[in-house]
Amino acid sequence: MTTPKTRRRQVLLGRLLTLFALAAAWQVFGMLGDENVKGVPKFSDVAVAFVDELSTSSLWTSLGQTLTTTAIGLALCLVIGIPAGLLLAAHRF
């Protein structure tokens, strides 16, 4: 029988191996395309670009805009969806 600590390590290792396998598959899939075709970029290119963007304000500005839009959409869904759901549930059709 495994201890909880050993089980946590196994789960963490499984998750890390899954992420590694996905990154490796992404890298291979990105390398399959023609250089002149704008398809899927290689994982390594994306990782380098991400690290470069971390030092600029454009990444954080875009992230803020995305999160604001997401929050507004969620709020609208809650304001419209909950009353609509309650209204539909209150009446028999």
Side-chain angles (χ1 to χ4, degrees):
M1 180 159 226
T2 60
T3 64
K5 190 174 184 179
T6 305
R7 179 70 183 137
R8 278 191 297 251
R9 285 183 182 167
Q10 289 173 346
V11 169
L12 179 62
L13 181 62
R15 289 178 181 171
L16 289 174
L17 287 174
T18 301
L19 288 175
F20 178 76
L22 287 173
W26 182 356
Q27 179 73 19
V28 169
F29 188 69
M31 293 169 61
L32 293 177
D34 187 13
E35 291 291 329
N36 298 325
V37 177
K38 300 289 185 195
V40 177
K42 293 184 283 192
F43 178 78
S44 57
D45 294 342
V46 173
V48 168
F50 178 71
V51 170
D52 290 342
E53 286 293 319
L54 282 175
S55 62
T56 66
S57 64
S58 66
L59 174 70
W60 303 110
T61 302
S62 298
L63 181 63
Q65 291 171 346
T66 300
L67 292 176
T68 301
T69 304
T70 303
I72 291 170
L74 177 63
L76 284 172
C77 287
L78 291 173
V79 167
I80 295 168
I82 290 176
L86 291 173
L87 184 65
L88 288 171
H91 297 291
R92 291 189 141 198
F93 291 101

